[in-house]
Amino acid sequence: MEFKNILLNDEETKALGTAIQMGLLAEKELSYGEASLIKRADLIEKINKGYAAREKLVMSNSKLVSSLLKPYLNKGLGYDDLFQAGMLGLTIAANKYDPASDNKFTTYAAFWIKEEIFKALNENKAVTIPKNALTELRKFNKALASLREKLNSEPSINEIIEFTKLSKDKVLAYLNYSYS
């Protein structure tokens, strides 16, 4: 089924939200395992309707994800990764949305979409070292390897300071980067 770019009005959105909530409640009830066969069939039908409603609601609002992720492009993740994170947020919003509230789904979903995008960006954070500092770190590591070879053992901090002619603070910082 293709739901992309279908604009839903508030009534349709609330009806889909209600079907999703009914499906989630039916899932819980079914997990208790005490339902009769007829009741189980009814619960399974509600669950399936809930899945279909969630799919329709999510796919119909996928354009919202595209529009909300644009400011976060070139911040460490590509479009596809940001879109995937946003779609996860949209799915979370569809599951948590209360159709009885006065909030529009898109307003509610925007929070969850951004939340998941931020989470994805933060998980992808890497400490970037400036090029000149990286060059100095490489020189330090070469000098340290040379000193180790010369001594045939692990040098002390004082031996490293003497050999590299660097301050104690720099040597400790470079050692910290070298071992992390």
Side-chain angles (χ1 to χ4, degrees):
M1 275 194 241
E2 183 67 33
F3 299 116
K4 285 185 180 175
N5 304 326
I6 294 176
L7 294 176
L8 302 172
N9 61 34
D10 287 342
E11 232 175 74
E12 292 169 318
T13 301
K14 289 192 182 284
L16 290 171
T18 301
I20 293 167
Q21 292 306 311
M22 289 175 66
L24 292 171
L25 289 172
E27 265 184 343
K28 268 187 192 172
E29 194 174 332
L30 188 63
S31 71
Y32 296 139
E34 299 172 13
S36 67
L37 280 175
I38 295 171
K39 181 72 173 173
R40 267 180 200 241
D42 183 47
L43 291 173
I44 290 170
E45 186 178 334
K46 285 181 182 177
I47 292 168
N48 289 336
K49 284 182 180 177
Y51 287 156
R54 180 175 51 224
E55 183 180 357
K56 184 173 183 179
L57 187 60
V58 168
M59 296 310 289
S60 296
N61 286 283
S62 61
K63 247 184 168 175
L64 177 63
V65 173
S66 291
S67 67
L68 290 174
L69 69 78
K70 286 178 184 171
Y72 307 103
L73 288 171
N74 301 320
K75 302 230 187 224
L77 288 176
Y79 180 88
D80 291 342
D81 293 327
L82 291 171
F83 186 77
Q84 187 174 9
M87 289 300 284
L88 176 61
L90 186 59
T91 303
I92 291 169
N95 285 336
K96 292 182 176 243
Y97 178 64
D98 179 10
S101 74
D102 290 335
N103 297 330
K104 283 187 139 204
F105 175 73
T106 52
T107 304
Y108 182 74
F111 167 80
W112 287 104
I113 293 166
K114 288 177 184 177
E115 186 74 18
E116 289 302 312
I117 288 173
F118 288 145
K119 198 184 295 181
L121 286 169
N122 285 331
E123 288 173 1
N124 192 46
K125 287 273 191 228
V127 177
T128 54
I129 301 171
K131 194 172 184 178
N132 63 334
L134 198 54
T135 303
E136 286 180 27
L137 182 60
R138 284 189 188 117
K139 284 180 186 176
F140 174 80
N141 285 333
K142 281 182 182 179
L144 185 59
S146 174
L147 182 60
R148 283 182 183 137
E149 193 176 305
K150 182 179 175 184
L151 297 174
N152 283 334
S153 66
E154 196 61 36
S156 69
I157 300 291
N158 289 332
E159 290 172 324
I160 297 171
I161 292 169
E162 190 177 314
F163 187 77
T164 60
K165 309 279 190 257
L166 295 171
S167 70
K168 185 175 183 177
D169 290 339
K170 273 203 173 185
V171 167
L172 292 173
Y174 287 151
L175 285 172
N176 191 28
Y177 276 117
S178 296
Y179 293 116
S180 58

